[in-house]
Amino acid sequence: MDFLWSRREMMKGIGMATLALGLPGIYSKAFAGTAEEAKPAQGGACMLPPLPYAYDALEPYIDEPTLRIHHDKHHAGYVNGFNLAMEKLAEARKSGDYSLIKHWSREFAFNGAGHVLHALYWGNLAKDGGAPGGEFLQAVVKSFGTLDAMIAQFAAATKAVEASGWGILAYEPYMGHLVIQQAEKHQDLAIWGVYPLLVCDVWEHAYYLKYQNKRGDYVDNFIKIINWKVVEERYERVKGVQGYR
């Protein structure tokens, strides 16, 4: 039996980067939009989720032209690449010709991870995102000592990503701790099985129009517009999940 994943199935079945361990429940509430927007595209293809705010909603920290290009061009490109990879893998299963399996597996991981991380990125940004609190803040203190220490490590790790990639705060279910990691490109250097809670895109297309090569300034301003309410909601969905045994 052949499978083409709908957007809803993709959101349940694709984890951070190349992970196939999933992010249960995170997407449906934080990113799905209206019921109409959440419907899968014709043919079961993955869809570009709408931004949860206007293009100018993050000014002056992230400018409107950057947000338009980033969402409408770059994120859309990962969605299209992900759909194409799924189609080609389906064709290979049907024909039995796996001569290009390495290429399309790589495209599947790269574009699928890019799509997932961008969906997370839009959701964890807002100019009125509140302040960390509740059990999430307790988990931060348990894992990093203080909130300031976590933010400082997150900012430093994100600024220091080699070439293009992401800074990620995630829940690691084996230890039950929060961890900070760097992801090069979208899918490299990730820990299997973690649940990303907060992600910062440091590909140049995320900041170059406004900040040029000043990645550090962009990351410092990113910290000012984190939607902590969404980060807390993501943590509530995954806290207590245990790693596979």
Side-chain angles (χ1 to χ4, degrees):
M1 182 177 180
D2 221 0
F3 293 89
L4 282 178
W5 291 356
S6 69
R7 177 185 171 207
R8 186 179 302 275
E9 289 166 338
M10 183 283 303
M11 292 189 293
K12 291 180 180 178
I14 299 293
M16 197 281 298
T18 57
L19 311 183
L21 299 179
L23 292 166
I26 290 177
Y27 294 91
S28 58
K29 184 173 181 180
F31 311 112
T34 65
E36 184 66 28
E37 290 166 341
K39 289 181 179 179
Q42 185 176 3
C46 186
M47 295 171 59
L48 177 69
L51 283 176
Y53 34 68
Y55 289 105
D56 63 353
L58 304 178
E59 293 273 10
Y61 305 105
I62 298 179
D63 56 294
E64 179 179 349
T66 292
L67 206 58
R68 286 186 180 276
I69 294 171
H70 194 176
H71 177 268
D72 296 359
K73 301 297 184 181
H74 290 280
H75 189 175
Y78 298 126
V79 171
N80 293 336
F82 188 42
N83 285 331
L84 179 60
M86 286 192 289
E87 290 174 7
K88 294 299 183 181
L89 290 169
E91 290 175 7
R93 292 192 294 273
K94 184 175 181 179
S95 67
D97 180 2
Y98 291 101
S99 59
L100 294 176
I101 188 63
K102 182 176 181 179
H103 170 75
W104 290 116
S105 293
R106 184 170 57 242
E107 288 292 294
F108 177 81
F110 176 81
N111 289 290
H115 174 33
V116 169
L117 287 169
H118 278 88
L120 288 164
Y121 177 77
W122 310 129
N124 62 214
L125 291 174
K127 288 179 69 174
D128 57 350
E135 291 189 41
F136 168 72
L137 181 57
Q138 295 174 24
V140 168
V141 172
K142 174 185 175 183
S143 300
F144 300 98
T146 66
L147 175 64
D148 288 344
M150 184 276 285
I151 291 176
Q153 182 180 338
F154 180 85
T158 303
K159 294 174 186 179
V161 170
E162 187 172 3
S164 299
W166 299 75
I168 300 168
L169 172 70
Y171 172 71
E172 199 287 295
Y174 285 90
M175 296 183 297
H177 292 170
L178 302 183
V179 297
I180 291 170
Q181 59 183 10
Q182 300 168 318
E184 294 178 5
K185 294 188 289 187
H186 307 299
Q187 76 281 23
D188 293 347
L189 303 185
I191 299 173
W192 285 80
V194 303
Y195 293 88
L197 308 175
L198 171 66
V199 301
C200 180
D201 187 351
V202 287
W203 283 67
E204 287 186 346
H205 63 241
Y207 62 88
Y208 209 82
L209 287 181
K210 182 177 180 65
Y211 296 95
Q212 285 80 52
N213 65 334
K214 298 177 182 178
R215 178 191 286 185
D217 291 351
Y218 158 71
V219 173
D220 290 340
N221 280 328
F222 171 92
I223 299 297
K224 299 175 183 177
I225 52 173
I226 294 172
N227 191 337
W228 291 110
K229 297 175 184 176
V230 165
V231 177
E232 286 184 37
E233 289 174 359
R234 293 173 182 170
Y235 177 71
E236 287 296 316
R237 285 166 174 76
V238 299
K239 68 179 182 181
V241 173
Q242 295 184 345
Y244 289 103
R245 296 295 193 271

